[in-house]
Amino acid sequence: MLETDKAFSGSIPENYDRHMVPLIFEAYAQDMARRVAALSPRAVLETAAGSGVVTRALAPQLPADATYVVTDLNQPMLDYARSGQPPDARITWRQADALGLPFEGGAFDVVCCEFGAMFFPDRIAGFREARRMLRPSGRFIFSVWDRVEENVFADEVTRTLAEIFPDDPPRFLVRTPHGYFDKALIRRDLEAAGFSDVEIETRAEQSRAFSPDIPALAYCQGTLLRNEIEERAPGALAEVTEKVAAAIAQKHGSGEVAAKIQAHIVTAVN
């Protein structure tokens, strides 16, 4: 992962939430919320909360006396997440690095993280920090994307951009969001962090949009892929996005589109 793979700023948070969240994150956020709520936790910590899709799904399901600490490394993302959440005295918003959390150890029943672990520069350190946060028998629940080939739109976007920029293809999607899919490696990393009871479930969903323009906008302008496109073709972001939309339309049609997405849901017990 490159250092620039963490810089969610500018208009990316809004485009991310408007386009990426309904396209690929919403179904997994609802699943994450159900898993966490089923444990009836009194204290929850969410790391790498992004634009708040899990927070919005989970908060209504938590007990009235629960505490819910929501964190993200990127203040713009956290600000956006907070702006979309109704006032809730149970929720504390805190800018924090998942690799160095500013909280007392053993304070939480559950630590959850949807599609954030791929961005950790040191995943074992991040997992060790999650474990430090947990009470005995507490759960660390997180999700990561499967390989890019199992996520059709992401794969098609990557291939199309490689055709547009053959000398220097943008590889953000392969390198980071879809770069941590090896279940054996995930298990080894968790064990190295001190977890011994680990379950990994692979879950497929359908990514749906009203037109091929939506996944093109989502990936090209709602992720850090945008930075790579703009570096290679200053001023041509809209044109490149249109080319990606045309490539998706060629395979899926010009109306409503749907394609497979797939992720690993991981539960580790302290």
Side-chain angles (χ1 to χ4, degrees):
M1 186 185 71
L2 304 180
E3 185 64 26
T4 53
D5 288 356
K6 298 183 290 183
F8 285 83
S9 59
S11 63
I12 290 178
E14 182 179 356
N15 284 325
Y16 175 97
D17 197 63
R18 180 182 298 174
H19 301 303
M20 287 299 289
V21 164
L23 186 70
I24 64 173
F25 290 115
E26 188 68 50
Y28 289 104
Q30 295 295 334
D31 178 72
M32 175 76 73
R34 285 192 295 270
R35 291 171 190 260
V36 174
L39 299 171
S40 300
R42 296 297 176 181
V44 177
L45 170 63
E46 183 179 355
T47 60
S51 62
V53 60
V54 171
T55 314
R56 294 191 293 268
L58 177 55
Q61 301 186 48
L62 293 177
D65 60 348
T67 60
Y68 187 3
V69 179
V70 181
T71 70
D72 196 89
L73 177 64
N74 294 277
Q75 189 65 49
M77 272 294 202
L78 196 66
D79 291 342
Y80 190 92
R82 185 172 188 170
S83 72
Q85 187 73 31
D88 191 330
R90 299 170 304 166
I91 301 177
T92 299
W93 304 89
R94 182 76 177 269
Q95 189 277 333
D97 187 341
L99 274 65
L101 293 163
F103 309 116
E104 181 180 352
F108 298 94
D109 301 304
V110 176
V111 175
C112 64
C113 180
E114 183 182 57
F115 301 117
M118 309 90 69
F119 292 88
F120 294 174
D122 183 338
R123 295 185 185 104
I124 294 174
F127 295 162
R128 189 178 291 121
E129 190 70 349
R131 183 170 178 262
R132 185 178 72 83
M133 293 294 102
L134 289 170
R135 294 168 179 158
S137 300
R139 262 67 168 180
F140 177 33
I141 305 175
F142 68 96
S143 53
V144 294
W145 292 113
D146 202 350
R147 68 181 71 238
V148 73
E149 292 84 0
E150 298 291 348
N151 291 268
V152 174
F153 288 143
D155 190 39
E156 291 173 356
V157 169
T158 299
R159 292 175 184 273
T160 302
L161 291 175
E163 294 174 1
I164 297 171
F165 303 104
D167 296 330
D168 188 15
R171 298 288 290 173
F172 167 71
L173 295 178
V174 177
R175 182 178 62 246
T176 301
H178 296 279
Y180 190 53
F181 58 82
D182 185 327
K183 291 191 286 186
L185 174 60
I186 295 167
R187 188 178 298 276
R188 287 198 301 271
D189 286 350
L190 285 163
E191 290 172 350
F195 290 102
S196 58
D197 186 352
V198 177
E199 294 184 2
I200 303 176
E201 175 187 338
T202 301
R203 184 182 181 92
E205 296 281 357
Q206 282 286 299
S207 179
R208 301 181 184 278
F210 290 115
S211 77
D213 294 339
I214 300 302
L217 275 168
Y219 284 102
C220 294
Q221 300 187 28
T223 75
L224 298 185
L225 193 57
R226 174 179 186 148
N227 298 340
E228 293 193 333
I229 294 170
E230 291 182 319
E231 287 171 2
R232 289 158 177 77
L237 179 63
E239 180 184 351
V240 171
T241 304
E242 289 175 4
K243 290 181 179 179
V244 171
I248 294 173
Q250 187 174 16
K251 294 188 177 182
H252 298 274
S254 59
E256 184 174 344
V257 295
K260 176 187 175 184
I261 48 176
Q262 187 160 291
H264 303 313
I265 317 301
V266 185
T267 302
V269 183
N270 188 18

PDB file of all heavy atoms in Angstrom, residues 182-195:
ATOM      1  N   ASP A 182      -6.166 -13.223   1.043  1.00  0.00           N
ATOM      2  CA  ASP A 182      -5.684 -14.578   1.324  1.00  0.00           C
ATOM      3  C   ASP A 182      -6.113 -14.989   2.733  1.00  0.00           C
ATOM      4  O   ASP A 182      -5.598 -14.467   3.732  1.00  0.00           O
ATOM      5  CB  ASP A 182      -4.160 -14.610   1.188  1.00  0.00           C
ATOM      6  CG  ASP A 182      -3.578 -16.004   1.339  1.00  0.00           C
ATOM      7  OD1 ASP A 182      -4.119 -16.820   2.107  1.00  0.00           O
ATOM      8  OD2 ASP A 182      -2.550 -16.277   0.689  1.00  0.00           O
ATOM      9  N   LYS A 183      -7.050 -15.929   2.825  1.00  0.00           N
ATOM     10  CA  LYS A 183      -7.593 -16.313   4.125  1.00  0.00           C
ATOM     11  C   LYS A 183      -6.542 -16.945   5.037  1.00  0.00           C
ATOM     12  O   LYS A 183      -6.574 -16.733   6.259  1.00  0.00           O
ATOM     13  CB  LYS A 183      -8.776 -17.258   3.928  1.00  0.00           C
ATOM     14  CG  LYS A 183      -9.990 -16.575   3.323  1.00  0.00           C
ATOM     15  CD  LYS A 183     -11.231 -17.450   3.371  1.00  0.00           C
ATOM     16  CE  LYS A 183     -11.166 -18.559   2.347  1.00  0.00           C
ATOM     17  NZ  LYS A 183     -12.448 -19.324   2.297  1.00  0.00           N
ATOM     18  N   ALA A 184      -5.622 -17.683   4.465  1.00  0.00           N
ATOM     19  CA  ALA A 184      -4.553 -18.276   5.286  1.00  0.00           C
ATOM     20  C   ALA A 184      -3.675 -17.183   5.881  1.00  0.00           C
ATOM     21  O   ALA A 184      -3.271 -17.255   7.052  1.00  0.00           O
ATOM     22  CB  ALA A 184      -3.721 -19.246   4.450  1.00  0.00           C
ATOM     23  N   LEU A 185      -3.384 -16.155   5.092  1.00  0.00           N
ATOM     24  CA  LEU A 185      -2.579 -15.046   5.591  1.00  0.00           C
ATOM     25  C   LEU A 185      -3.330 -14.272   6.667  1.00  0.00           C
ATOM     26  O   LEU A 185      -2.746 -13.890   7.702  1.00  0.00           O
ATOM     27  CB  LEU A 185      -2.209 -14.114   4.434  1.00  0.00           C
ATOM     28  CG  LEU A 185      -1.481 -12.822   4.813  1.00  0.00           C
ATOM     29  CD1 LEU A 185      -0.165 -13.121   5.526  1.00  0.00           C
ATOM     30  CD2 LEU A 185      -1.246 -11.953   3.575  1.00  0.00           C
ATOM     31  N   ILE A 186      -4.609 -14.033   6.459  1.00  0.00           N
ATOM     32  CA  ILE A 186      -5.413 -13.326   7.461  1.00  0.00           C
ATOM     33  C   ILE A 186      -5.390 -14.089   8.781  1.00  0.00           C
ATOM     34  O   ILE A 186      -5.190 -13.506   9.856  1.00  0.00           O
ATOM     35  CB  ILE A 186      -6.857 -13.147   6.956  1.00  0.00           C
ATOM     36  CG1 ILE A 186      -6.897 -12.223   5.730  1.00  0.00           C
ATOM     37  CG2 ILE A 186      -7.759 -12.598   8.064  1.00  0.00           C
ATOM     38  CD1 ILE A 186      -8.219 -12.232   4.989  1.00  0.00           C
ATOM     39  N   ARG A 187      -5.576 -15.400   8.700  1.00  0.00           N
ATOM     40  CA  ARG A 187      -5.571 -16.222   9.919  1.00  0.00           C
ATOM     41  C   ARG A 187      -4.208 -16.165  10.610  1.00  0.00           C
ATOM     42  O   ARG A 187      -4.120 -16.018  11.835  1.00  0.00           O
ATOM     43  CB  ARG A 187      -5.946 -17.659   9.565  1.00  0.00           C
ATOM     44  CG  ARG A 187      -6.171 -18.555  10.773  1.00  0.00           C
ATOM     45  CD  ARG A 187      -6.581 -19.955  10.325  1.00  0.00           C
ATOM     46  NE  ARG A 187      -7.834 -19.945   9.595  1.00  0.00           N
ATOM     47  CZ  ARG A 187      -9.031 -19.972  10.167  1.00  0.00           C
ATOM     48  NH1 ARG A 187      -9.127 -19.988  11.492  1.00  0.00           N
ATOM     49  NH2 ARG A 187     -10.130 -19.974   9.441  1.00  0.00           N
ATOM     50  N   ARG A 188      -3.126 -16.244   9.830  1.00  0.00           N
ATOM     51  CA  ARG A 188      -1.786 -16.187  10.415  1.00  0.00           C
ATOM     52  C   ARG A 188      -1.539 -14.841  11.087  1.00  0.00           C
ATOM     53  O   ARG A 188      -0.958 -14.764  12.176  1.00  0.00           O
ATOM     54  CB  ARG A 188      -0.726 -16.434   9.347  1.00  0.00           C
ATOM     55  CG  ARG A 188      -0.626 -17.860   8.865  1.00  0.00           C
ATOM     56  CD  ARG A 188       0.694 -18.120   8.154  1.00  0.00           C
ATOM     57  NE  ARG A 188       0.894 -17.244   7.004  1.00  0.00           N
ATOM     58  CZ  ARG A 188       0.486 -17.525   5.765  1.00  0.00           C
ATOM     59  NH1 ARG A 188      -0.173 -18.664   5.523  1.00  0.00           N
ATOM     60  NH2 ARG A 188       0.718 -16.694   4.764  1.00  0.00           N
ATOM     61  N   ASP A 189      -1.998 -13.772  10.450  1.00  0.00           N
ATOM     62  CA  ASP A 189      -1.806 -12.440  11.022  1.00  0.00           C
ATOM     63  C   ASP A 189      -2.567 -12.294  12.338  1.00  0.00           C
ATOM     64  O   ASP A 189      -2.055 -11.701  13.303  1.00  0.00           O
ATOM     65  CB  ASP A 189      -2.254 -11.362  10.030  1.00  0.00           C
ATOM     66  CG  ASP A 189      -1.276 -11.175   8.882  1.00  0.00           C
ATOM     67  OD1 ASP A 189      -0.161 -11.733   8.941  1.00  0.00           O
ATOM     68  OD2 ASP A 189      -1.638 -10.452   7.916  1.00  0.00           O
ATOM     69  N   LEU A 190      -3.784 -12.814  12.386  1.00  0.00           N
ATOM     70  CA  LEU A 190      -4.560 -12.745  13.617  1.00  0.00           C
ATOM     71  C   LEU A 190      -3.914 -13.575  14.729  1.00  0.00           C
ATOM     72  O   LEU A 190      -3.860 -13.148  15.888  1.00  0.00           O
ATOM     73  CB  LEU A 190      -5.990 -13.221  13.362  1.00  0.00           C
ATOM     74  CG  LEU A 190      -6.876 -12.217  12.618  1.00  0.00           C
ATOM     75  CD1 LEU A 190      -8.111 -12.912  12.058  1.00  0.00           C
ATOM     76  CD2 LEU A 190      -7.291 -11.066  13.536  1.00  0.00           C
ATOM     77  N   GLU A 191      -3.426 -14.735  14.376  1.00  0.00           N
ATOM     78  CA  GLU A 191      -2.745 -15.571  15.370  1.00  0.00           C
ATOM     79  C   GLU A 191      -1.472 -14.898  15.866  1.00  0.00           C
ATOM     80  O   GLU A 191      -1.151 -14.952  17.058  1.00  0.00           O
ATOM     81  CB  GLU A 191      -2.452 -16.944  14.773  1.00  0.00           C
ATOM     82  CG  GLU A 191      -3.720 -17.769  14.557  1.00  0.00           C
ATOM     83  CD  GLU A 191      -3.474 -19.057  13.787  1.00  0.00           C
ATOM     84  OE1 GLU A 191      -2.350 -19.226  13.256  1.00  0.00           O
ATOM     85  OE2 GLU A 191      -4.407 -19.886  13.706  1.00  0.00           O
ATOM     86  N   ALA A 192      -0.754 -14.230  14.971  1.00  0.00           N
ATOM     87  CA  ALA A 192       0.452 -13.497  15.372  1.00  0.00           C
ATOM     88  C   ALA A 192       0.108 -12.350  16.312  1.00  0.00           C
ATOM     89  O   ALA A 192       0.938 -11.949  17.148  1.00  0.00           O
ATOM     90  CB  ALA A 192       1.174 -12.966  14.136  1.00  0.00           C
ATOM     91  N   ALA A 193      -1.124 -11.827  16.192  1.00  0.00           N
ATOM     92  CA  ALA A 193      -1.573 -10.742  17.064  1.00  0.00           C
ATOM     93  C   ALA A 193      -2.113 -11.258  18.390  1.00  0.00           C
ATOM     94  O   ALA A 193      -2.456 -10.458  19.261  1.00  0.00           O
ATOM     95  CB  ALA A 193      -2.641  -9.911  16.360  1.00  0.00           C
ATOM     96  N   GLY A 194      -2.218 -12.586  18.535  1.00  0.00           N
ATOM     97  CA  GLY A 194      -2.651 -13.161  19.796  1.00  0.00           C
ATOM     98  C   GLY A 194      -4.021 -13.791  19.799  1.00  0.00           C
ATOM     99  O   GLY A 194      -4.447 -14.356  20.809  1.00  0.00           O
ATOM    100  N   PHE A 195      -4.739 -13.725  18.688  1.00  0.00           N
ATOM    101  CA  PHE A 195      -6.044 -14.377  18.603  1.00  0.00           C
ATOM    102  C   PHE A 195      -5.866 -15.862  18.292  1.00  0.00           C
ATOM    103  O   PHE A 195      -5.027 -16.232  17.465  1.00  0.00           O
ATOM    104  CB  PHE A 195      -6.895 -13.741  17.502  1.00  0.00           C
ATOM    105  CG  PHE A 195      -7.379 -12.355  17.802  1.00  0.00           C
ATOM    106  CD1 PHE A 195      -6.758 -11.246  17.236  1.00  0.00           C
ATOM    107  CD2 PHE A 195      -8.463 -12.142  18.650  1.00  0.00           C
ATOM    108  CE1 PHE A 195      -7.208  -9.958  17.492  1.00  0.00           C
ATOM    109  CE2 PHE A 195      -8.922 -10.851  18.913  1.00  0.00           C
ATOM    110  CZ  PHE A 195      -8.285  -9.763  18.341  1.00  0.00           C
TER     111      PHE A 195
END
